[in-house]
Structure formats: C-alpha cells, structure tokens
Amino acid sequence: MSAVRPRILVIDDEPQIHRFLSPALDAAGYEPKRADSGQEGLRGIALWSPDAVVLDLGLPDMDGKDVLVRAREFYSGPIIILSARDREAEKIESLDLGADDYVEKPFGVGELLARIRASLRQRADPAAPKGPVVAGDVIMDMDRRLVTRNGEPVRLTPKEYELLGHLARHAGKLVGHTDLLTAVWGAAHVTDTQYLRVVVGQLRQKLEDDPAHPTLIVTEPGVGYRLQA
C-alpha cells in the first residue's frame, strides 16, 4: 500500500503558477490541490483538509488576507503567503493575522518547498505545556488555548498566542531570539527581530500591569525573553 502523501492546496489565480508548481509539489512527494479564487480556496480547505496551504494575496474575488482570517476560524494547519507585495507592513500584518511564512514573487521552487517542509515540521512538534501555566493574575491554559487575566479571557492574535505558548513551554527559562523566531515565524526569519519586538509589545499591553516595566515577559538584553511564572 502506498503511503499517504501530504496534501498541499495552492490558492492562486495565475495559471502559470499552477503549471510549474503542481508538478514540483508532486515530484517532492506532495499531493497538489488547486484553487483559483478566495472562495474556491476556502471551500477547498474545508473539503480537502490540506496539510498546508500556499495562499496568494492578490486574488480576483477577495483579498488574500481576508481569506487568511476566515481560514483561521476553522483551519489550524500551516498557511504560507505567496505574493508580489513586498512591503514590510504587508508581511507583518499577514504574519500577525496567522500566516506561518511569507514568500515574495518571483520565487524559487526550492525555497518554497523548503518553507513548506519547515512549516510542516513546526506544526508537527508534539511539545506542549502540561496543564495551565500561572503567573500572578495571568493563567495560560495552552491545552485549551485559553489565556485569562483576573479571570477574564484575553483575546490574542494567532502570532501572539504562538509566541506566548512557546514561552510558556519554557516558563522560567531564557528563550533566545533565534529559538523564538524559528518556532513562531520559521527558519527563514531568524534575523527578523522586529517581529519579536512588535508581538512581545502587544502581549505586554494585554497581560502586564505596567507594560513599560514588565514583570511577566522579561527581556534579557541582546539574548531573548523569559516568562516569569
């Protein structure tokens, strides 16, 4: 019996993308699936339950970021943005909305395949905190994906949750910049420390009594961050 191949859904309206990407995915051991619009892509995610999604931002019927937001309501697998938009703000917004990675067009197939492999490995990591992590009035129940402060639920973006979860898995220990960036954004972003600063700042605004003088997520200058639990 042949092994089940990971299914990769490519949501892009450019026929040439599918013409060269589908054979490349097939040759790399994946089962490629195709969608040419945002609505078709959302239906494909629901129908096929792909192992990973490659999503273009410039779709004919809706913005790719809207597809990303709607997909994240029911899909937890890797989503890799594929786009000709190269503005840094666009990348950060996509990552904050729940994308796992961002690849600019034009791109090399080898690079995209490496990003897919990295995202699949990252999502397959079985490590998870055992039971809630308590730090003062903040309770982080990563098994239930629930964070509360003073008994009230705290609404976090996907990236905020992933970063907090990684810190919670290593509560009390120093976690380096490279480790955090690799775990949350992928190996291609190990030098993008501005992503960390932005998301850590957002978490402090939501979880700290005094975000300017944090006691929960503590900075180790030049090295990383520590969750004081």
Side-chain angles (χ1 to χ4, degrees):
M1 181 180 296
S2 60
V4 176
R5 299 191 299 165
R7 186 175 295 153
I8 310 298
L9 173 61
V10 179
I11 307 174
D12 197 302
D13 65 326
E14 297 184 46
Q16 63 269 30
I17 293 290
H18 294 288
R19 276 199 298 270
F20 78 80
L21 196 49
S22 290
L25 289 167
D26 183 68
Y30 300 111
E31 178 186 350
K33 291 290 185 180
R34 172 176 179 170
D36 298 305
S37 68
Q39 292 291 348
E40 187 180 344
L42 289 168
R43 286 194 297 270
I45 294 172
L47 177 65
W48 295 315
S49 297
D51 294 276
V53 173
V54 177
L55 171 64
D56 182 34
L57 291 185
L59 297 169
D61 58 337
M62 58 194 300
D63 191 280
K65 292 196 295 295
D66 294 330
V67 177
L68 173 61
V69 170
R70 290 177 58 181
R72 279 295 179 231
E73 294 175 357
F74 64 93
Y75 177 71
S76 60
I79 298 178
I80 300 171
I81 298 297
L82 190 65
S83 178
R85 305 176 189 175
D86 60 358
R87 297 188 301 275
E88 181 179 355
E90 195 85 43
K91 297 178 187 179
I92 293 174
E93 183 179 4
S94 297
L95 293 164
D96 282 342
L97 289 173
D100 291 77
D101 209 340
Y102 193 110
V103 179
E104 294 178 18
K105 293 180 179 179
F107 62 93
V109 173
E111 178 190 3
L112 179 59
L113 291 174
R115 302 286 185 95
I116 291 173
R117 290 193 298 270
S119 294
L120 289 172
R121 285 196 304 269
Q122 184 179 329
R123 291 282 177 162
D125 183 0
K130 299 297 187 283
V133 176
V134 181
D137 57 8
V138 177
I139 300 176
M140 295 154 278
D141 189 339
M142 298 325 210
D143 294 327
R144 297 171 57 204
R145 296 185 68 87
L146 177 64
V147 178
T148 61
R149 182 183 179 197
N150 293 319
E152 295 294 325
V154 179
R155 186 168 183 174
L156 300 179
T157 68
K159 288 302 178 190
E160 289 169 357
Y161 180 84
E162 288 182 41
L163 179 56
L164 184 63
H166 196 70
L167 288 170
R169 279 193 284 273
H170 305 278
K173 299 179 181 178
L174 172 63
V175 185
H177 293 148
T178 298
D179 189 352
L180 287 166
L181 286 162
T182 301
V184 179
W185 285 276
H189 297 284
V190 294
T191 62
D192 294 328
T193 53
Q194 73 271 19
Y195 293 171
L196 273 179
R197 287 194 295 271
V198 169
V199 177
V200 167
Q202 293 169 177
L203 283 170
R204 285 171 170 164
Q205 289 293 329
K206 295 179 179 181
L207 301 176
E208 299 274 5
D209 291 330
D210 183 359
H213 300 90
T215 58
L216 176 64
I217 302 174
V218 179
T219 301
E220 297 287 349
V223 182
Y225 298 92
R226 188 191 310 271
L227 180 68
Q228 300 284 43

